[in-house]
Amino acid sequence: HVQLVESGGGSVQAGGSLRLSCGASGSIYDTMCMGWVRQAPGKEREGVAAIDSDGIASYADSVKGRFTVSRDNANNTVNLMMNSLKPEDTAMYYCAAGGNYYTRTFRYWGRGTQVTVS
């Protein structure tokens, strides 16, 4: 199992930026592929980004070119830099682990941090 704690959400105007951070602890195996998932009210959960242990990343088409995921294996952290934010990016964002790089689906999620773009 793995424990995940997010920070960095908030409110921002369209076109602005936010950086989300996540600290992970637990199974090294489960943290090999980590990433971020978001869910807006009334919408399906969306795998936003995934990053494997070598730092290779994949992104949903909706955020490609605007969001960048990174990780620090030594400190077990994963970050999501979000630029050029749009109102449709408004959602609860969850740090995730135990994932599939290609499908951006994960077995474990943190409690989430709210991102609101107006």
Side-chain angles (χ1 to χ4, degrees):
H1 292 286
V2 63
Q3 293 77 46
L4 305 164
V5 179
E6 306 96 337
S7 62
S11 298
V12 65
Q13 291 188 339
S17 300
L18 281 174
R19 183 174 183 267
L20 305 183
S21 296
C22 173
S25 60
S27 166
I28 292 176
Y29 176 80
D30 286 330
T31 56
M32 288 180 65
C33 178
M34 298 185 66
W36 294 87
V37 174
R38 70 184 180 185
Q39 188 163 25
K43 294 188 177 180
E44 293 188 357
R45 184 182 300 128
E46 178 184 27
V48 172
I51 185 167
D52 68 13
S53 56
D54 293 325
I56 307 300
S58 70
Y59 299 93
D61 288 343
S62 58
V63 306
K64 202 171 292 183
R66 300 187 298 120
F67 290 12
T68 303
V69 62
S70 61
R71 66 186 293 165
D72 180 344
N73 291 333
N75 293 307
N76 282 340
T77 58
V78 61
N79 303 305
L80 185 68
M81 185 69 210
M82 305 183 292
N83 296 319
S84 301
L85 283 161
K86 305 175 180 179
E88 51 263 44
D89 294 318
T90 296
M92 186 71 79
Y93 283 72
Y94 300 88
C95 178
N100 181 298
Y101 170 88
Y102 297 100
T103 63
R104 289 183 298 280
T105 55
F106 302 88
R107 289 194 296 168
Y108 305 105
W109 298 271
R111 292 190 174 185
T113 185
Q114 179 68 37
V115 171
T116 303
V117 185
S118 60

